[in-house]
Amino acid sequence: AQSVAQPEDQVNVAEGNPLTVKCTYSVSGNPYLFWYVQYPNRGLQFLLKYITGDNLVKGSYGFEAEFNKSQTSFHLKKPSALVSDSALYFCAAGSSNTGKLIFGQGTTLQVKP
Amino acid sequence: EAQVTQNPRYLITVTGKKLTVTCSQNMNHEYMSWYRQDPGLGLRQIYYSMNVEVTDKGDVPEGYKVSRKEKRNFPLILESPSPNQTSLYFCASSQSLVGTLPGEQYFGPGTRLTVT
């Protein structure tokens, strides 16, 4: 069965420091991976996706994610966090043989000034 | 403006009273999907549709129905709502990316449903 795990409920970082939000996945076939962000009282917004190619994917708002096939991970990163990055982040995974998409439980990112 | 709209945004209802939450997109997307969001459980996919008249179950389809008669609309139907369906519901749409897989999804604003 497909699954996505975000092992941290909350990540706290100081503004200006690098941040990492972790995600591991289990899918059959080739994985297709996504990150979405949900700001308070708002819908979800797409950040970035990995389909194929370069393992380092760049997305919106300065975020990037690294695909690691051997560790089945797709961690979200940003070199320098902003207070405005504080939000709920979701990792999602699918595979090409199904239209189903599995989301992780979400990780709350708190960036303190 | 490209968008996904949902109605109603808030709904309080009683057990057993049939309801429909509408979803419409104006981007000519093939793929549409419904999710529910519950604290600690993240987003769970209820149903998805890869095109008109093509729908399939997500992870938590029990108690829900959908239809896709037109490309732009994808209503979610609760025939006999129960309190465990109290949740925040999101509709989303996207172009199909690879095979049946959705690409970047655009989400609606959400519908907060309370079933008493």
Side-chain angles (χ1 to χ4, degrees), chain A residues 6-13 20-22 86-89 106-112:
Chain A
Q6 293 179 241
E8 300 150 320
D9 288 338
Q10 182 156 324
V11 170
N12 298 309
V13 299
T20 298
V21 182
K22 294 180 181 174
S86 298
L88 181 58
Y89 290 80
T107 298
T108 299
L109 174 65
Q110 279 275 22
V111 182
K112 298 218 159 87

Side-chain angles (χ1 to χ4, degrees), chain B residues 2-3 9 16 19 34 36 61 112:
Chain B
Q3 60 182 352
R9 295 287 313 278
L19 66 92
W34 276 103
R36 59 178 290 174
R112 189 166 291 280

